[in-house]
Amino acid sequence: MEVMDEYTRLRTEMVAAQIARRGLRDPRLLAAFQHVQRHLFLPQPLRSHAYEDRPLPIGQNQTISQPYIVALMTSLLELKGEENVLEIGTGSGYQAAILSIMARTVHSIERYQELADAGRARLVRLGCYNVQVHCADGSSGWPQAAPYQAIIVTAAAAAAPKPLLEQLAEGGRLVLPVGGSQGQVLQLWTRESGRLDYQDILPVSFVPLRGEFGWSEDDWGTPDKEE
Ligand code: SAM
């Protein structure tokens, strides 16, 4: 009980200091970050670090992203609650849990079977019944459930993958990091009246998107690592 109270206190502090104070003030967004127990998405030995201002390892050389970056990417999607959302890179399932509160349905794709299985089980345990986790190469999207009003890619691509742009609904928004192992920029893509546009948001550092429309081991250069 005491430990739970301490996590709640740390989460409240995280929302205030790392998210709201940096300018993200949408009450629905802040409520979602206050609700989702980030420590439950981490291996036991790392749980006490869950509310720190940084990414953390989740196994398979992959990471759960920094809370502020998860919040910023979510806010760029401008979710109202009625959207069908695609996430590439389930990882721990934390981002999917946030999306599950803010949208109608979520399809989340993970290439590692172990992460997909653990993420799916965790999301079910936490009652995120509107999320479906699929183990597949998400660089090709998930055409079975397209179109999507919002798409979020939580791994770095060399360029916005064509299949994802094709699966974006009219009026839809796609957010993804674009660049290589030396650094990337977060891009926001929109489709308005059939026309695709993008803007650069800020520099970021993510693990690589692999797969057919992602980075090969050789081209990325270094092992997967997020700063
Ligand atoms: N969103 C995650 C979370 O909340 O924990 C963090 C994602 S982690 C930064 C990036 C994830 O993308 C890793 O789990 C990695 O295995 C996955 N990934 C990389 N390339 C992929 C691909 N082509 N298809 C699906 N998942 C991929």
Side-chain angles (χ1 to χ4, degrees):
M1 191 58 188
E2 252 176 48
V3 173
M4 271 308 296
D5 288 342
E6 178 62 2
Y7 282 137
T8 304
R9 187 186 69 75
L10 290 171
R11 194 159 58 251
T12 304
E13 239 176 67
M14 173 193 85
V15 170
Q18 300 174 37
I19 302 177
R21 209 166 294 157
R22 288 177 178 149
L24 302 178
R25 305 238 161 79
D26 170 11
R28 285 184 69 236
L29 182 81
L30 299 181
F33 278 81
Q34 184 64 52
H35 179 77
V36 178
Q37 300 177 72
R38 184 172 160 94
H39 60 280
L40 298 181
F41 293 80
L42 282 162
Q44 194 75 48
L46 287 177
R47 288 189 175 176
S48 59
H49 300 282
Y51 299 99
E52 293 173 6
D53 193 12
R54 59 178 172 123
L56 290 163
I58 54 168
Q60 310 289 342
N61 229 359
Q62 304 301 318
T63 49
I64 181 173
S65 302
Q66 181 191 2
Y68 172 68
I69 294 295
V70 180
L72 177 65
M73 291 173 80
T74 308
S75 82
L76 288 168
L77 296 176
E78 294 186 355
L79 299 171
K80 303 284 182 281
E82 286 308 312
E83 299 81 0
N84 181 33
V85 181
L86 176 65
E87 179 194 23
I88 313 303
T90 312
S92 68
Y94 178 68
Q95 171 78 75
I98 297 286
L99 294 170
S100 119
I101 295 175
M102 302 202 59
R104 179 172 51 84
T105 45
V106 181
H107 290 269
S108 183
I109 321 291
E110 171 57 51
R111 68 191 277 260
Y112 285 110
Q113 189 74 58
E114 294 83 348
L115 290 177
D117 290 348
R120 184 186 299 112
R122 198 173 280 134
L123 288 160
V124 168
R125 223 166 28 241
L126 294 173
C128 302
Y129 302 122
N130 59 345
V131 181
Q132 284 186 50
V133 176
H134 313 279
C135 186
D137 172 12
S139 74
S140 305
W142 188 254
Q144 293 91 320
Y148 302 97
Q149 287 74 41
I151 302 180
I152 177 168
V153 185
T154 63
K162 193 160 169 274
L164 299 187
L165 294 172
E166 286 166 357
Q167 290 166 37
L168 191 63
E170 174 58 30
R173 299 166 78 82
L174 159 67
V175 61
L176 85 168
V178 172
S181 56
Q182 301 307 310
Q184 308 117 29
V185 62
L186 196 62
Q187 285 186 352
L188 170 66
W189 286 75
T190 51
R191 182 191 285 281
E192 292 294 345
S193 311
R195 197 187 127 141
L196 285 162
D197 275 315
Y198 78 88
Q199 51 180 298
D200 290 340
I201 305 295
L202 87 173
V204 286
S205 183
F206 274 81
V207 294
L209 179 74
R210 303 292 190 187
E212 190 180 346
F213 294 87
W215 288 98
S216 69
E217 300 277 342
D218 287 347
D219 291 342
W220 178 263
T222 59
D224 294 11
K225 186 166 164 285
E226 184 175 357
E227 301 301 333

